[in-house]
Amino acid sequence: MGTSAELITTLRAAAAGTPYAVRETPQGFDLTIDVADARWLAVFRAHGLNKVFTHQVRLNEADQSMTITDVSNTFSWSGGGSSPRLQAAASTQRGRVYEKSFRKEFGVDLKTGRVGKVVDYSFDATAGRDLIRDVAKEQGWDEKMGGTQKGAVIFAGATVAILAVAGIVWLVTALL
């Protein structure tokens, strides 16, 4: 059984060379696509990519358990026109987010005249979650359902129950 510090250190090593960055938090850590890194920020900005995806992991060292909450942030920026100005907009999704996207662009190199890939980007939200789960499993950690996911399950169950009761009431009134 490993400690929180060992888990975070091992995850940092596993994420090295990827666009993911591990940031410690008081409750555990966040695994985020690292747009602060100039290599990745240039790609996002130059090609209009507008997603930042974070897996918020809360650790309970006492029982070697963790919860993973996905946070998908969409943002946009623009500047230009006759006077320089920056416009920004953002939206967020939390919970268990399943998302896949890709983008491929081809262009002509003005110096050589050759056609080549300008952008070759793919994203799968499960990749970061799987990275966390694989490292955690090696360290003896278990995953539990987080508060956001529990809330969604309770809400869905309550909705089904209300609809069932409403359906029964409607059926009884229709038969009478």
Side-chain angles (χ1 to χ4, degrees):
M1 297 280 182
T3 65
S4 297
E6 290 170 341
L7 176 62
I8 292 168
T9 299
T10 305
L11 185 61
R12 273 199 178 106
T18 72
Y20 287 104
V22 179
R23 184 180 61 84
E24 286 187 63
T25 65
Q27 302 85 17
F29 63 89
D30 291 345
L31 181 73
T32 302
I33 297 265
D34 187 9
V35 295
D37 183 329
R39 295 177 302 161
W40 302 104
L41 181 60
V43 170
F44 277 102
R45 186 171 48 223
H47 301 290
L49 303 175
N50 59 0
K51 282 277 187 198
V52 176
F53 205 91
T54 300
H55 301 283
Q56 293 179 335
V57 180
R58 303 299 169 248
L59 301 173
N60 182 340
E61 197 165 324
D63 69 354
Q64 296 282 286
S65 67
M66 65 178 184
T67 62
I68 302 172
T69 301
D70 302 333
V71 181
S72 176
N73 292 300
T74 302
F75 60 93
S76 63
W77 58 72
S78 63
S82 58
S83 61
R85 68 177 178 213
L86 178 66
Q87 295 176 335
S91 66
T92 301
Q93 291 180 323
R94 293 183 61 84
R96 183 67 59 200
V97 179
Y98 293 95
E99 183 177 321
K100 289 185 181 193
S101 61
F102 71 93
R103 184 171 177 172
K104 294 183 188 288
E105 291 182 18
F106 293 87
V108 177
D109 185 322
L110 296 177
K111 292 180 183 177
T112 65
R114 291 186 181 162
V115 175
K117 282 186 190 172
V118 177
V119 177
D120 189 2
Y121 167 84
S122 64
F123 174 74
D124 183 352
T126 61
R129 218 173 14 251
D130 289 345
L131 176 65
I132 295 165
R133 287 173 173 158
D134 291 346
V135 170
K137 187 176 181 180
E138 289 174 10
Q139 299 275 322
W141 290 76
D142 292 319
E143 183 179 359
K144 293 188 177 180
M145 191 179 295
T148 304
Q149 291 88 1
K150 286 179 186 175
V153 169
I154 291 168
F155 179 77
T159 301
V160 168
I162 290 169
L163 290 174
V165 168
I168 291 169
V169 168
W170 177 82
L171 183 62
V172 168
T173 56
L175 292 174
L176 297 176

